[in-house]
Amino acid sequence: MDGYLKEFTKHYCQTAAGCNAQKELPTATLVRQIIETATEHANILGIGYNELIRENNAWVLSRLAIELNRMPRMHEDYSLTTWIDSFNRHFSRRNFVLESSSGEILGYISTVWVAINIKSRRPADLSSIADMEKMTFQRECRVTSKGRIKPDMRHDIAKSYLFATTDIDFNRHVTTARYVELIENQFDLDFYDRNEITHFEISFHHESVWGERVDIYTQMNEATGESYSMIHSEKNGAVCTSITTFRPRVKIA
């Protein structure tokens, strides 16, 4: 395996304190853990923040797609296993499998990361990482992308939000999880009591910062169970767009 840890697994336990109202792992928390697991593996491989920042470069999540059988439940042990599927000099595709401690496949995740120069905010060139090809690994990842998420769709529901202090990460930009929470909060608690997410996909177009006001637009297709959302700012236009697919929730006895 060329001396590289091509697969990396991080273990978790779904505590009661970390559950949502449906006694499950919240989607935004899963997204945080996806980023956390990817970061740890990149550090192990020597392509993490400390290495890239030497040339003022950093990884930025560009697209994320989650295919779910179900979410981890309260008091359940589970794990995320990640590997680099492919790369070029600007982008890297990193996949994940979400698995219970009993071996049940709970879901798959596919992510696309772009390396950017943090000073110019332009794509960085990673061709100098000569061994990155040796770090890739091929494994099944059952995620079906919905394709390009158009930011010019019609909108049915609109809410406004002003980004505040706890929305900001160490780069002084809005966290990925906050975007996910804003999209999920378009629906009320009763909706999530009756429905669960089977697919969530988000594509990022611009960064947002502290004090920026955005509008969250959502269109629900009742026939297909698909919800289309866009977070829009007056300054940058579409900040991110997403598709969520729901199905009726089966109650656990």
Side-chain angles (χ1 to χ4, degrees):
M1 294 181 68
D2 303 307
Y4 292 108
L5 183 65
K6 294 189 177 183
E7 285 186 291
F8 173 73
T9 300
K10 190 168 177 65
H11 297 275
Y12 295 92
C13 176
Q14 185 50 44
T15 64
C19 281
N20 59 18
Q22 291 75 37
K23 299 181 181 180
E24 296 173 339
L25 174 70
T27 309
T29 302
L30 174 59
V31 170
R32 290 187 186 97
Q33 293 173 347
I34 289 166
I35 296 171
E36 180 179 81
T37 304
T39 299
E40 288 195 30
H41 190 213
N43 289 338
I44 291 170
L45 293 174
I47 55 171
Y49 177 83
N50 289 338
E51 288 74 29
L52 268 64
I53 200 62
R54 293 170 187 165
E55 297 183 5
N56 296 314
N57 298 330
W59 292 110
V60 173
L61 184 60
S62 174
R63 192 178 183 98
L64 173 140
I66 303 171
E67 204 82 38
L68 286 170
N69 295 321
R70 67 172 178 86
M71 278 293 198
R73 301 179 183 123
M74 188 166 65
H75 300 149
E76 184 173 20
D77 294 320
Y78 64 98
S79 65
L80 275 169
T81 297
T82 185
W83 64 96
I84 298 174
D85 178 76
S86 60
F87 82 99
N88 59 36
R89 65 177 187 167
H90 296 306
F91 294 91
S92 175
R93 181 179 299 279
R94 176 181 282 279
N95 294 335
F96 302 75
V97 59
L98 177 66
E99 192 172 3
S100 73
S101 59
S102 65
E104 178 187 357
I105 301 298
L106 305 181
Y108 293 94
I109 301 104
S110 181
T111 61
V112 176
W113 300 76
V114 59
I116 65 166
N117 184 284
I118 62 173
K119 290 187 174 180
S120 68
R121 311 310 294 178
R122 301 292 300 169
D125 189 341
L126 297 178
S127 56
S128 60
I129 305 178
D131 283 348
M132 200 163 177
E133 184 175 357
K134 297 178 182 179
M135 302 174 191
T136 60
F137 184 72
Q138 297 302 305
R139 178 176 172 174
E140 181 182 49
C141 183
R142 297 181 182 177
V143 175
T144 303
S145 175
K146 301 291 185 178
R148 183 175 181 269
I149 306 170
K150 297 181 180 180
D152 56 347
M153 58 192 173
R154 289 186 173 183
H155 316 294
D156 292 337
I157 307 169
K159 296 179 183 177
S160 293
Y161 185 82
L162 181 68
F163 288 120
T165 301
T166 57
D167 300 326
I168 307 302
D169 63 15
F170 74 99
N171 284 317
R172 303 181 79 86
H173 296 112
V174 175
T175 67
T176 302
R178 177 59 71 220
Y179 295 124
V180 175
E181 289 169 339
L182 290 177
I183 291 167
E184 284 203 307
N185 283 339
Q186 292 289 87
F187 297 97
D188 61 24
L189 196 58
D190 179 66
F191 179 86
Y192 287 104
D193 285 340
R194 293 183 288 104
N195 299 280
E196 62 184 351
I197 296 172
T198 62
H199 182 91
F200 177 81
E201 191 165 348
I202 187 168
S203 182
F204 298 96
H205 309 291
H206 294 283
E207 298 168 320
S208 290
V209 296
W210 181 90
E212 185 175 352
R213 184 175 295 279
V214 293
D215 295 314
I216 308 99
Y217 298 95
T218 297
Q219 180 188 59
M220 183 69 189
N221 186 326
E222 299 288 350
T224 64
E226 287 186 334
S227 166
Y228 296 80
S229 295
M230 176 176 71
I231 297 179
H232 182 277
S233 80
E234 185 176 342
K235 177 182 177 182
N236 292 316
V239 173
C240 63
T241 49
S242 75
I243 299 176
T244 309
T245 304
F246 297 95
R247 70 181 171 204
R249 184 178 291 276
V250 177
K251 293 197 174 185
I252 307 296

